[in-house]
Amino acid sequence: MENKKDTTYDESQIQVLEGLEAVRKRPGMYIGSVSQAGLHHLIYEIVDNSIDEALAGYCDRILVDLNADGSVTVEDNGRGIPVGIHPQQGIPTVEVVLTILHAGGKFGGGGYKVSGGLHGVGSSVVNALSERLEVEVSNGEHVYYQSYERGKPTCKLKIIGDTDKTGTKITFMPDAEIFETLDYDYEILLKRLREQAFLNKGVRIIFTDRRVAEPKSVELYAEGGIKEFVQYINKNKDAIHDEVVYFEAKRGDDMEVEVAMQYTTAYSETILSFANNIHTVDGGMHETGFKSGLTRVLNDYARKYKLLKEKDANLMGEDTREGLTAVISVKVAEAQFEGQTKTKLGNSGARTLVESALNDKLSAFLEENPKIARAIIEKTISASRAREAARKAREATRKSSAANNSSLLGKLARCTDEGADYAELFIVEGDSAGGSAKQGRHRRYQAVLPLWGKMLNVEKSRIDKVYSNEKLLPIIQALGAGIGEDFDVNNLKYGKIIIMADADVDGSHIRTLLLTFFFRYMRPLIEQGHVYIAQPPLFKVFKGKNKDLVERFVFDEDERDRAIAELGKGAKVQRYKGLGEMDPEELKETTMDPEKRTILRVDLEDAIAADQIFTILMGEKVEPRREFIEQNAQYATNLDI
């Protein structure tokens, strides 16, 4: 958003709301947690301030360095934090910004029209949670410097040089007294910075990791903005039209929207929405406006050109989004976010603006590109037919469930506390392992559903095929929460869904097929932490017999060798080729008993990366899969060959 008017940015625009005292005592209130996620948040806060300068039209270059000593440097070529004496506080304004909570140019002083950030909280919170922080400000005449320790100045602001440039450079060392870890994850940070480059076209972000022997640097720059974002997401998919549809619209000086979209041959949708560069994971008014506007525009076009006949029902929202990748980015002067996490946009004006933008701009695009329009409408009509087939299959499924006579659920061993949050469903590979699991379980809260044979790869199938698949239907029925648009996590019968498969290639394949299914059709299961992977042991190391028997269950070769050394001469090793080789007591002790087992929770750190990896591993294209295997073969372990 260009705001390059004669707007001044000085000490009079920095308004102070309150002091800093609580940040070190309750850091989680300000950065979410003191885990690695909170550590990353420190960088996001400082980078967001630089991005805000870019939004205001004053910055086009941001350097982010992970330094060898564990500190981080963020430098931009914006206007530089004001250095004049603050009229209320009587100290340099840069010191106010870095030491007083809720001090910033985002409270109606005129410094910014649009900003993300945490309402001016960012800089002071980072300072409070850093062992040390140094700031350098260039204002076109001089370079100013000040240092801090745990939020308190260790020197007065001083001039250390002359310059004709402007900008801010902040170096901070996170405080080991606060954080559980000081180890930054390069890939997570790269993903976030790449996202910011896509959302702010023309801004060059240079990210450098200096913690390694040979520093690696990547330049993130997207002249095409969110159009390039959509192309990036779709790089391993087959688009049904080469051109990414892009349009933008404004409402006065206080709101604007950009939309980029492209349809692919895939069956799932990927819609990412942002407000002031913040990923609105839970959507909001801008996303609602996009969905309703899209459905109306495509129905109107299909009716106008008789692609939908009079007797045909209208396309539903889910039909119009099948295979769609879209990025919606709104910039709002007074953003209203629902909840502390700022993951849902509440501005009703955003819905109106986005909806009218689609009505005007997308309608015009379809009229001007009839070939693309026809391809899109044919895709949506095909999706509509599949949805109707799925509805009929779903109704048949419900009737059989209501009658409680479904043969498909015949293998499910229910638990007595079904429906409780602590109830667990083990999805077990193979009948023999399923039999052992049924005998070894806690009947009160553990249910067991054996699977046999390979199941459907949903990445290559529509929802109607899912409903008619005899391998997946028992899972849908057992969980009781529906799938796709009908999925309601509140109806879930089990708090934990635990995938239990052999530690071999076939077991890995089954796990991947199940995770693909959950990701595509029951994503809240993963997002809310309901899905787990069981970790059965690979070896049993034992010595002696009967009363003298000593056993160790171990999970890899190193543990095996240590157990052999510990038990000494005469120790024997049993290699478990599959779960079916364990008797019920062994399976209970090693894999099912909450007191002794190891299970891994499946988390969704990055939906875009997850979408891409499922597309690569399970999709139609062979070449991206081959490249992935070639790049990652060196990391493969425990191959069963």
Side-chain angles (χ1 to χ4, degrees), residues 344-359:
K344 191 171 187 179
L345 184 69
N347 298 64
S348 57
R351 174 176 182 166
T352 308
L353 178 61
V354 176
E355 209 165 344
S356 65
L358 269 96
N359 286 336

Side-chain angles (χ1 to χ4, degrees), residues 351 427 552:
R351 174 176 182 166
I427 300 176
R552 299 278 189 277

Side-chain angles (χ1 to χ4, degrees), residues 632-639:
N632 292 278
Q634 59 182 312
Y635 306 116
T637 57
N638 292 331
L639 287 180

Side-chain angles (χ1 to χ4, degrees), residues 179-376:
F179 292 96
E180 295 168 1
T181 176
L182 299 182
D183 185 24
Y184 283 103
D185 187 308
Y186 176 83
E187 292 300 326
I188 292 175
L189 294 170
L190 177 61
K191 173 251 173 187
R192 168 72 180 240
L193 295 173
R194 178 180 283 121
E195 205 171 76
Q196 293 298 320
F198 281 133
L199 291 167
N200 299 279
K201 59 186 171 189
V203 176
R204 205 174 297 275
I205 301 175
I206 299 163
F207 180 38
T208 306
D209 189 352
R210 304 186 186 281
R211 300 170 302 172
V212 287
E214 292 186 18
K216 53 182 177 180
S217 190
V218 60
E219 184 173 292
L220 305 166
Y221 177 75
E223 188 60 50
I226 62 171
K227 283 180 72 172
E228 289 186 32
F229 201 170
V230 169
Q231 290 169 334
Y232 174 77
I233 296 167
N234 283 347
K235 64 184 177 183
N236 295 313
K237 299 179 183 179
D238 288 314
I240 65 172
H241 54 98
D242 291 337
E243 184 181 352
V244 175
V245 183
Y246 172 84
F247 48 89
E248 55 188 336
K250 293 186 179 183
R251 190 191 74 180
D253 265 352
D254 64 344
M255 192 180 295
E256 69 176 40
V257 61
E258 289 183 277
V259 174
M261 52 188 283
Q262 184 181 44
Y263 282 87
T264 72
T265 57
Y267 300 125
S268 55
E269 64 181 75
T270 303
I271 296 178
L272 300 177
S273 62
F274 298 84
N276 294 359
N277 292 325
I278 296 163
H279 185 192
T280 39
V281 179
D282 295 321
M285 289 296 179
H286 52 337
E287 201 169 304
T288 301
F290 173 80
K291 290 177 177 178
S292 57
L294 178 67
T295 305
R296 181 182 298 117
V297 168
L298 293 186
N299 270 307
D300 288 349
Y301 187 92
R303 294 286 181 201
K304 180 178 179 180
Y305 291 101
K306 307 268 188 301
L307 299 171
L308 275 179
K309 310 298 183 215
E310 278 187 34
K311 61 179 175 52
D312 294 336
N314 267 357
L315 299 166
M316 301 287 283
E318 62 195 278
D319 305 330
T320 64
R321 298 192 300 272
E322 185 187 271
L324 173 65
T325 298
V327 175
I328 308 142
S329 176
V330 296
K331 307 285 170 63
V332 189
E334 294 291 335
Q336 299 157 15
F337 292 101
E338 296 180 11
Q340 286 296 310
T341 54
K342 291 171 85 171
T343 54
K344 191 171 187 179
L345 184 69
N347 298 64
S348 57
R351 174 176 182 166
T352 308
L353 178 61
V354 176
E355 209 165 344
S356 65
L358 269 96
N359 286 336
D360 297 342
K361 306 291 177 71
L362 181 58
S363 296
F365 178 87
L366 296 176
E367 292 289 348
E368 293 163 12
N369 298 273
K371 191 174 178 183
I372 294 175
R374 183 170 288 273
I376 291 171

Side-chain angles (χ1 to χ4, degrees), residues 16-34:
V16 177
L17 301 184
E18 65 179 61
L20 237 198
E21 54 281 342
V23 179
R24 286 183 64 82
K25 186 179 270 189
R26 296 187 183 87
M29 287 180 61
Y30 300 90
I31 57 168
S33 75
V34 292

Side-chain angles (χ1 to χ4, degrees), residues 608-623:
I608 301 169
D611 180 90
Q612 289 181 337
I613 203 70
F614 281 122
T615 299
I616 290 170
L617 295 179
M618 310 303 285
E620 298 282 0
K621 283 191 171 183
V622 175
E623 193 55 42

